[in-house]
Amino acid sequence: MNGDSHADLLQPPSNIEPTVLERTASHYTPLPTYQLPKGEHRHYQQQYADMYFARLAQLKPAVEQIASEAWADFEIGGETASRKDRVLDVRQGELCWVAGTVYMEMPLKPNVLEDIGKEHWIAAPPPRVKYDTGVGLGGDSERGAHAGGGKGLAGAQIMLEDESGRLRLTGGYLSGGLLVTGAIVAVMGTENSDGDFEVLDLRVPDLPRQPPRWETEDGDAALQGKSVTKKRPSSGKVAIISGLGVSGVEGDTLLLDLLLEYLLGESTDPASQQQAASISRLIIAGNSLSHSSPIPSREELAAATKKGGRKTYGYDSASYNAAPTDHLDQWLATLLPSIPITLLPGEQDPTSTSLPQQPIHAAMFPHSRAYMNPPTAPEGPGWFDSTTNPAEFSADGWRFLGTGGQPVDDVYKYLPDCEERLEMMEAMLRWRLTAPTAPDTLWCYPFQDGDQFVMKECPHVFLVGNQPKFETTVVEGPLGQQVRVLAVPRFKETGELILLDCETLVPEIVRFEVLDEG
Amino acid sequence: MAQDYAEWLAINVLNEQQLVSYRSLSRALKVHSNLAKQMLYDFHHKQNAKKPGTVHATYLITGIKRTERPATNGTHSQRDGEDTVMQSSPLLPSSSALKPGEHDDETPNAVQTVMLVKQESLELAKAKFESITGIHIYSLQAKGLGDIQSLTECNRKIAVDYASEDPLEVWKQYGTIQNPDVKRRTQRRQPPPPPAPVAKAAVAKAKPPVPTAKPTTLKKEGSKDSEEAGPASNTSAKAPTEPARKPPTNKRQSSDIFKSFAKGKPKTKTEQESQDSAGSTPKAAPDDEPIAGFSDEEDADEGDADIIEEAPKAVDGKSKKEREAELQAMMEQEDEVMEDAAGVEPDHAEADVDEGAIDKPDPQAEEPKEIVQVESGRRRGRRRVMKKKTVKDEDGYLVTKEEATWESFSEDEPAPKRIKVPTTTSMSKSTTAAPGKKGAKPGGGNIMSFFSKK
């Protein structure tokens, strides 16, 4: 054993002076796309319908261009498809195409009127696996209440909507499809005798323009009058993790310790330490705490009222347990001297519950706070960047778009029979929407001037946290765009850390395990 | 150094039966982590050669595990390929990567595994690996490890024991990856606490002698703290830890309840201040410090691990005991409390201060200015107030006069608008002030002034 190089550390201390490793530098520019105005500038009086209209206005030109290219010379029985401006302009028997917003009516969707009626408005709605009834994988017990016969969109109605009105869509074409409320599409077909629109073909806006690498940094430099550097040093890797799930319970933090030591370069052998030194940044994509959302779930509220105690609306300060945030703060503060961190909040983190979630406040991190920018004078990105969810930033020149997982989880609920989360992510990219189902079933801020969730530029890396397992693929666009899509698994369950090489954009996994047998 | 680690390990692992990880060893002996791992191996090897089974180890294996399933790139679940095709292709015309066949051709992503195992399972674990990049000892313990999760204890201990070390300076020796670009703000751990700037603001408003005395007090006590960090005498233990504690710990505002108890606490160095002619301001100044001191002790008592100095730890027990004794004594006689703390002098000083407020008109006349101090949101001090006085005239008429008097006040909210002083009225003597003061608000919101001798 002593001869193998891997057992170098299994020998008595040698007198060789160990080398001090230095970490690869990280070039980082956060973009304020999802930051909401603070304080009194944030208004909630506006209607959510404005968001839909804004979204349609922003995406209609793109989808109509694609649609007109595709159907310009489409003929059925001598008839060409004509373009209709408004959804209600379709005429019976006439072949035409029109663009609008998809709206899906599903029986199990959360209904705000129902909730208010039952006085459930204070707690989060009950989690649903899927919003559709009677749909399941034919006996697959994972579906629970939704198990049953039938495939397809039983019980759901799909409609196309714009400023003028709504049009019900039918046709066998739709059952093969991926559609959720809020997607902007163009459909071609004809109106049948029932007044429904039979769909023959469908088009989506597809990927937007993708900026070349380093465009953000070069653009900034040009604006500031500095010379645009042609030569950039080679980048290292970016570590991505999600779902740390720090709770006050101490029984499950060994994996976190192992991860900490690996990233600091203290554990493992010198070869792996060298590899760890090439990790230039850590991105935490949501759910760092396991139970800290300010909105109590329905079960919690029921338990609280059942106990007969005072029904405290929202927050009972006596029951606050500081242990999880303290632990997370210590963990981050131990990592920060060595590696910069970008923290995205998730569904269970102590910040706003509606998208876009605002950054977790510095007050939650008394130790790590020293590495953050002072609130009054933010000069450049902070070493510890607590950012929004979803978040857009440029790391090592590549444009990253990350979410904590809520949009994808919500899209998942709309699609019966579909377990392919990568497909949903690809669909979201092609619809150009970071959160298509907001504001329908996903709580969000009522944007007034424009839908912030519309992707204006195509990212290079689209990462989604808190997914059940690690998945990755490359999505290609019509103009040659290439997007690396990453589904980041929950660390607490899988112990997996993703390392994304910033030169090739190929991910690899480091899995931490504790062997507990014997 | 060769002998040191064997000794250190012998003490900690064998004698004290502690769990020692390579990180704890590296911090204790200030060595590089890799060196610490080798030391652990050496010790383990030698001890078990002497007497097998004395020392148990856990190992950390890094490498590539044997793949269990053929397709590790998990986009494919075990479902019909049909559904996948139908759903993806029509609506996403340029979907290129989602045809089921392709995934099997893509090379699965590289998975590196870092596994922690107990020594009993080492061979079993090694068998799971296809190739191993490294193995090293993670920790040593005297008996077998029951729950492997208890290894988190090592890191927790490190965080507590070595919290005072500045990572940017000392971690280089432990082998942590250094980052030349790290940016950190100058404030170390916690931001400057509100009472310190507040107290400074109060000082700024006070008269000149007091500000000079107060900072010197702070300085003196600061130096006192450094001298008597460890087991100090009761009295000085309290006082020095207060200003020292003020910078690091005042995250929490002192609860108001302790503020009122704090009046009874002495100030060792404020005798000279209290005998100063300016009566009220030094009274308020010691108010600040004991009050803040109480809150700091309260913080210390909660055993906050965030506190950097180790001194607080040593003083914890005493101050808590102290405080409890004080609270009890307070219920009886204030004198006893005073003696318990620092002797009778401060007590007299306090009493003097109170009396000074009431019975010394001349010094009173010297303070035309309003003194307002803000402490934790409360404004307290002396202010000029218009009071109505009804006297019987020679002719038997009742005459009501408005006069400006001084009284001490304490506000929870920012003080209301100050009352303008008319030029003609005279300063009334303290006789009117005294009954007013006694009855209305016992001196600045502290219950203790109610008990003080007048």
Side-chain angles (χ1 to χ4, degrees):
Chain A
M1 205 208 292
N2 278 338
D4 302 323
S5 63
H6 73 252
D8 266 351
L9 292 173
L10 287 178
Q11 57 184 321
S14 48
N15 279 335
I16 309 169
E17 194 61 33
T19 49
V20 173
L21 294 168
E22 260 197 22
R23 201 177 284 284
T24 324
S26 165
H27 301 274
Y28 181 70
T29 316
L31 297 167
T33 326
Y34 292 104
Q35 282 182 1
L36 292 177
K38 298 217 190 323
E40 55 186 36
H41 298 289
R42 198 187 295 186
H43 303 294
Y44 286 91
Q45 285 105 343
Q46 53 270 30
Q47 296 278 331
Y48 282 101
D50 289 341
M51 245 180 94
Y52 282 120
F53 298 147
R55 190 185 288 180
L56 186 60
Q58 286 173 272
L59 289 176
K60 203 167 178 182
V63 73
E64 288 195 332
Q65 192 196 2
I66 292 196
S68 58
E69 281 169 22
W71 296 324
D73 45 5
F74 183 86
E75 262 193 45
I76 283 189
E79 203 184 336
T80 52
S82 57
R83 178 179 170 271
K84 295 289 177 197
D85 273 333
R86 304 186 317 156
V87 156
L88 293 182
D89 285 344
V90 300
R91 298 283 165 258
Q92 200 168 72
E94 198 183 321
L95 188 69
C96 56
W97 64 269
V98 68
T101 317
V102 172
Y103 174 71
M104 292 184 74
E105 173 95 32
M106 291 171 134
L108 286 182
K109 259 189 355 185
N111 186 343
V112 63
L113 297 174
E114 230 178 73
D115 284 350
I116 289 183
K118 295 183 199 159
E119 288 192 357
H120 280 164
W121 54 275
I122 196 76
R128 302 273 188 202
V129 179
K130 295 275 192 192
Y131 289 141
D132 219 348
T133 49
V135 177
L137 271 182
D140 187 349
S141 59
E142 280 175 10
R143 288 308 164 91
H146 302 270
K151 286 187 186 177
L153 301 159
Q157 290 185 20
I158 307 183
M159 300 182 216
L160 194 71
E161 182 182 307
D162 72 355
E163 300 98 355
S164 59
R166 261 185 200 182
L167 185 66
R168 187 151 182 260
L169 300 178
T170 54
Y173 190 88
L174 292 175
S175 58
L178 234 71
L179 280 178
V180 296
T181 302
I184 309 286
V185 298
V187 289
M188 194 227 349
T190 180
E191 186 177 346
N192 63 12
S193 46
D194 294 331
D196 298 339
F197 193 82
E198 268 197 43
V199 176
L200 296 172
D201 198 5
L202 190 142
R203 285 286 182 274
V204 296
D206 225 321
L207 297 176
R209 173 207 165 252
Q210 188 177 60
R213 193 179 174 191
W214 298 112
E215 185 188 83
T216 328
E217 281 79 6
D218 290 345
D220 283 345
L223 281 175
Q224 289 168 12
K226 296 187 212 159
S227 65
V228 173
T229 42
K230 294 289 181 235
K231 199 160 170 349
R232 299 273 183 180
S234 74
S235 319
K237 299 188 186 161
V238 169
I240 306 170
I241 201 147
S242 156
L244 294 173
V246 175
S247 61
V249 176
E250 293 296 347
D252 47 7
T253 54
L254 189 56
L255 283 180
L256 280 180
D257 279 347
L258 291 182
L259 173 63
L260 175 89
E261 294 170 21
Y262 174 77
L263 287 174
L264 282 180
E266 291 187 12
S267 75
T268 68
D269 52 287
S272 308
Q273 287 171 346
Q274 193 74 39
Q275 195 191 37
S278 67
I279 301 176
S280 61
R281 174 166 288 270
L282 174 66
I283 301 176
I284 306 180
N287 283 354
S288 315
L289 296 166
S290 75
H291 205 57
S292 299
S293 171
I295 306 271
S297 64
R298 240 167 234 212
E299 292 80 20
E300 281 179 340
L301 199 61
T305 44
K306 230 184 257 179
K307 268 196 301 194
R310 198 166 44 98
K311 189 175 179 186
T312 52
Y313 283 100
Y315 179 58
D316 181 11
S317 59
S319 65
Y320 179 64
N321 180 9
T325 36
D326 198 42
H327 192 176
L328 179 67
D329 183 40
Q330 290 281 7
W331 191 84
L332 289 172
T334 318
L335 274 178
L336 279 168
S338 176
I339 189 170
I341 299 182
T342 302
L343 177 67
L344 274 70
E347 195 179 342
Q348 290 162 356
D349 285 328
T351 177
S352 40
T353 41
S354 57
L355 293 188
Q357 282 181 297
Q358 294 307 290
I360 302 180
H361 198 273
M364 303 298 291
F365 305 120
H367 289 104
S368 318
R369 192 194 291 168
Y371 298 91
M372 287 170 98
N373 270 342
T376 45
E379 330 99 15
W383 188 249
F384 173 36
D385 194 19
S386 176
T387 181
T388 56
N389 171 28
E392 198 176 359
F393 51 87
S394 170
D396 293 326
W398 302 109
R399 188 69 73 84
F400 280 65
L401 177 64
T403 76
Q406 292 105 312
V408 175
D409 291 339
D410 207 50
V411 168
Y412 173 84
K413 291 179 191 166
Y414 273 83
L415 302 173
D417 293 343
C418 186
E419 291 292 318
E420 301 295 324
R421 289 177 179 254
L422 279 188
E423 279 189 33
M424 299 175 205
M425 293 178 210
E426 182 182 338
M428 282 162 64
L429 283 171
R430 296 203 193 275
W431 292 326
R432 297 197 198 181
L433 292 170
T434 322
T437 55
D440 189 26
T441 40
L442 199 55
W443 298 347
C444 80
Y445 174 78
F447 290 110
Q448 180 71 14
D449 302 323
D451 187 1
Q452 284 298 99
F453 294 119
V454 170
M455 291 183 209
K456 300 196 176 65
E457 286 180 327
C458 188
H460 296 104
V461 179
F462 181 40
L463 58 97
V464 179
N466 294 299
Q467 299 305 298
K469 60 182 195 278
F470 171 70
E471 293 175 301
T472 182
T473 183
V474 177
V475 170
E476 286 173 10
L479 301 170
Q481 301 99 323
Q482 291 214 333
V483 187
R484 164 67 64 179
V485 177
L486 284 173
V488 186
R490 293 178 206 114
F491 184 77
K492 189 160 183 175
E493 293 165 17
T494 60
E496 288 177 2
L497 164 77
I498 301 180
L499 292 181
L500 184 68
D501 187 322
C502 276
E503 290 296 330
T504 58
L505 288 188
V506 171
E508 43 185 67
I509 308 175
V510 178
R511 191 181 293 141
F512 295 89
E513 274 182 50
V514 174
L515 197 63
D516 221 353
E517 319 159 20
Chain B
M1 199 167 59
Q3 286 310 314
D4 296 343
Y5 72 84
E7 258 181 66
W8 193 91
L9 283 171
I11 298 172
N12 282 301
V13 176
L14 296 176
N15 294 357
E16 297 191 18
Q17 312 249 313
Q18 278 179 14
L19 206 55
V20 175
S21 76
Y22 71 91
R23 282 187 98 212
S24 343
L25 182 61
S26 84
R27 263 101 181 128
L29 299 181
K30 309 275 181 253
V31 295
H32 195 278
S33 304
N34 288 348
L35 205 57
K37 295 168 199 163
Q38 290 177 329
M39 290 176 180
L40 285 181
Y41 171 78
D42 192 35
F43 184 76
H44 179 247
H45 197 63
K46 288 198 178 120
Q47 288 297 318
N48 280 350
K50 282 191 229 169
K51 223 165 85 175
T54 41
V55 179
H56 294 254
T58 58
Y59 292 86
L60 195 73
I61 309 177
T62 318
I64 303 184
K65 253 177 131 177
R66 285 180 220 285
T67 49
E68 288 114 19
R69 314 175 282 135
T72 50
N73 189 7
T75 340
H76 244 345
S77 39
Q78 275 76 18
R79 298 179 58 229
D80 284 342
E82 272 180 49
D83 283 344
T84 332
V85 171
M86 240 170 61
Q87 293 189 16
S88 64
S89 33
L91 290 174
L92 307 168
S94 35
S95 109
S96 48
L98 291 179
K99 310 214 170 17
E102 278 182 31
H103 289 305
D104 297 329
D105 303 330
E106 268 185 48
T107 45
N109 300 89
V111 181
Q112 202 188 21
T113 307
V114 175
M115 191 189 282
L116 182 66
V117 302
K118 295 191 230 180
Q119 82 179 28
E120 298 88 41
S121 328
L122 181 62
E123 294 306 320
L124 182 67
K126 274 162 64 171
K128 291 195 179 182
F129 278 79
E130 194 178 303
S131 67
I132 299 184
T133 22
I135 312 183
H136 67 84
I137 295 198
Y138 186 85
S139 73
L140 287 182
Q141 56 279 343
K143 305 185 191 119
L145 193 60
D147 178 19
I148 202 165
Q149 297 290 336
S150 54
L151 285 172
T152 53
E153 190 57 42
C154 298
N155 276 342
R156 224 179 301 142
K157 241 172 107 203
I158 294 178
V160 165
D161 291 342
Y162 300 100
S164 56
E165 291 181 345
D166 182 8
L168 299 182
E169 290 168 24
V170 298
W171 283 13
K172 194 167 172 177
Q173 57 185 332
Y174 302 142
T176 318
I177 301 177
Q178 296 298 298
N179 200 323
D181 302 325
V182 62
K183 280 195 293 194
R184 191 179 65 181
R185 287 193 269 167
T186 45
Q187 54 167 72
R188 283 292 203 84
R189 305 270 167 172
Q190 282 91 5
V198 162
K200 290 203 183 77
V203 167
K205 284 183 195 163
K207 286 176 64 175
V210 180
T212 52
K214 197 159 189 287
T216 50
T217 310
L218 280 174
K219 270 190 242 148
K220 279 184 211 159
E221 292 181 349
S223 59
K224 253 191 120 179
D225 176 46
S226 53
E227 289 162 19
E228 300 162 16
S233 66
N234 278 357
T235 61
S236 38
K238 269 192 291 186
T241 53
E242 295 151 23
R245 214 76 66 63
K246 255 200 232 174
T249 51
N250 224 316
K251 301 186 281 211
R252 290 160 248 212
Q253 291 304 324
S254 51
S255 53
D256 288 350
I257 226 179
F258 282 101
K259 263 194 247 188
S260 43
F261 288 146
K263 182 69 163 81
K265 267 177 47 92
K267 287 302 297 172
T268 51
K269 301 278 184 172
T270 54
E271 292 122 42
Q272 57 263 39
E273 288 180 342
S274 45
Q275 272 137 30
D276 205 355
S277 55
S280 65
T281 43
K283 181 187 88 156
D287 275 353
D288 288 343
E289 298 210 19
I291 289 156
F294 248 117
S295 69
D296 291 332
E297 284 185 29
E298 186 194 329
D299 287 353
D301 291 342
E302 291 171 18
D304 203 11
D306 297 336
I307 297 175
I308 312 164
E309 294 91 3
E310 312 215 313
K313 289 219 178 66
V315 182
D316 260 356
K318 281 198 203 79
S319 42
K320 184 164 190 165
K321 211 170 46 174
E322 274 265 281
R323 188 166 49 112
E324 281 177 10
E326 268 208 10
L327 288 177
Q328 284 201 1
M330 224 176 273
M331 295 308 149
E332 305 148 16
Q333 274 292 342
E334 188 196 346
D335 281 347
E336 291 173 15
V337 173
M338 291 303 181
E339 276 166 29
D340 189 33
V344 185
E345 285 246 273
D347 169 32
H348 286 323
E350 298 276 11
D352 278 346
V353 164
D354 283 344
E355 285 181 273
I358 298 166
D359 293 334
K360 289 192 200 148
D362 293 335
Q364 289 280 15
E366 289 173 26
E367 43 170 20
K369 283 203 302 191
E370 267 173 19
I371 317 289
V372 174
Q373 293 164 21
V374 183
E375 147 105 35
S376 312
R378 276 181 156 217
R379 293 166 75 87
R380 58 176 67 218
R382 304 196 69 74
R383 70 171 168 200
R384 225 159 153 181
V385 163
M386 300 308 297
K387 283 238 162 96
K388 288 193 165 111
K389 193 183 141 215
T390 311
V391 292
K392 209 160 182 187
D393 220 343
E394 307 90 32
D395 297 331
Y397 293 113
L398 284 175
V399 176
T400 310
K401 276 192 288 188
E402 257 201 9
E403 288 162 340
T405 66
W406 288 96
E407 76 162 7
S408 64
F409 73 99
S410 156
E411 303 284 344
D412 280 314
E413 317 88 34
K417 286 194 279 270
R418 291 169 194 179
I419 297 147
K420 293 248 185 318
V421 180
T423 50
T424 51
T425 54
S426 60
M427 303 261 291
S428 93
K429 296 308 172 201
S430 47
T431 45
T432 50
K437 180 178 152 106
K438 259 282 208 292
K441 260 190 269 189
N446 291 330
I447 338 179
M448 278 323 298
S449 60
F450 188 72
F451 296 114
S452 65
K453 289 186 177 161
K454 293 292 188 264

